[in-house]
Amino acid sequence: MQKVRLKWVKNRGLDHIIDRTTSIRASCLMLDYLARQPSSPVPARSLARFQKPLGLTVPVLRFLRRHPTLFAEQPHPRFPTLPAFSLTSASDILLGRLARASAVDSHLRLARLLLLTRSRSLPLASILPLRFDLGLPYDFASSFPSSHPDLFAVSNNHISLSTARLPDDIAISSLQRRHAEAITGATYRDLSRPPSSSHAPLAFPMRFPRGYGGMKKVKAWMDDFHRLPYISPYDDASGIDPDSDIYEKRNIGLLHELLGLMVHKMVRRNAIRLLREELGLPHKFTRLFTRYPGVFYLSLKCKTTTLVLREGYERGKLVEKHPLAAVRDKVQYVMRTGVLYRGKGLSKLVLDEDDDEEEGTLDGDEGFQGEGMDEDADVECFGMEIVDDDGHSNNDYDEHDSSD
């Protein structure tokens, strides 16, 4: 199959969504951390170390003061000159809603992620950077095995999946589910057969940047690509040549399914790199995203590389909004109200369940732009002790960054 080299095109709409999601992520992780502290208020000095894990380019103290509707500032009880922070009444309401929305299907998302791997298990340290993206609770390593003992087991800082009692439809990809709903009477065997044209049932949805979709060479390339057999990312691919076009299409299907598992249909590249070997991805897997811009968008916003599933968004909004994403939009609404009204923001809030979610970014969102994640600090921020059996360091990932 002849490949076409395409130029990267910036998408301002998706970059804007990534910028907004980065600020929401920082607030949600900070709310979760403050809620788990035994004593309140928490001194600002002890929160300064979370600047990198939160993805902030401004000091944590400035970030907290910018959102008085979420974080209440008050003098420390023992040291009056030291600023300290606690949760507001609006934060308590949001934390309850976030917990309820996260409990909807977070265990199934984690089960599907483990099912995509070769060994059906992952180190906890590799899953922690994906906790916000998958919508997992901070104590998933202990709560999931106890509440779902037939699905999960934890041993040696690894969480594994029990394949004996899996739900019947868990090993079907989102692409297969979509076409099964569209085609009456279609079976799993029918969906696994190679399509005969680009309009066949298992063709990937394509949304090329402006100007690419009408190029004849791109159309011919995509026709050849879609004629290749579709291999479910949940099927064993060990017998396929890693250098073949079929294996590349399998990788595209795997990344398509992986991004589809995320609440916001996006994930940071460094988080995928931690899973690369278990997922069977090539060393320079970033090229898969740049080679298929109709399926994925690769963004350099917020001083990190973020990968987005194009079909997940339409006109700046999620096509299929998860209940957890709806609650996180409410978090952004509370943040924005605090920026606009400062100290009077709490009196301006409307947190009814049936009110319309407010969209838009915060004034001065450039202060929330993220940086590359510090994995060790990320683990510490999540409140769990993780021992990495492999002993790899962040320097290993930096070397891969330069090669990609």
Side-chain angles (χ1 to χ4, degrees), residues 267-270 286 298-307 401:
V267 68
R268 288 164 290 115
R269 182 183 62 175
N270 286 344
T286 306
L298 188 146
S299 173
L300 305 179
K301 189 69 174 177
C302 299
K303 296 185 178 180
T304 187
T305 303
T306 305
L307 312 166
D401 272 335

Side-chain angles (χ1 to χ4, degrees), residues 304-324:
T304 187
T305 303
T306 305
L307 312 166
V308 185
L309 188 63
R310 281 187 180 270
E311 67 184 78
Y313 287 89
E314 183 72 37
R315 298 182 180 274
K317 296 183 180 180
L318 281 168
V319 176
E320 299 178 359
K321 180 175 287 189
H322 190 273
L324 183 57

Side-chain angles (χ1 to χ4, degrees), residues 1 8 18 27 91 93 96 125 186 211 237 247 254 291 301 327 340 353 358 369 397-398:
M1 183 179 69
W8 178 79
I18 293 171
S27 294
S91 298
I93 296 175
Y247 196 83
L254 187 147
R291 194 177 297 161
K301 189 69 174 177
V327 179
L340 294 177
E353 290 286 356
E358 295 201 15
Q369 292 178 356
Y397 308 135
D398 294 337

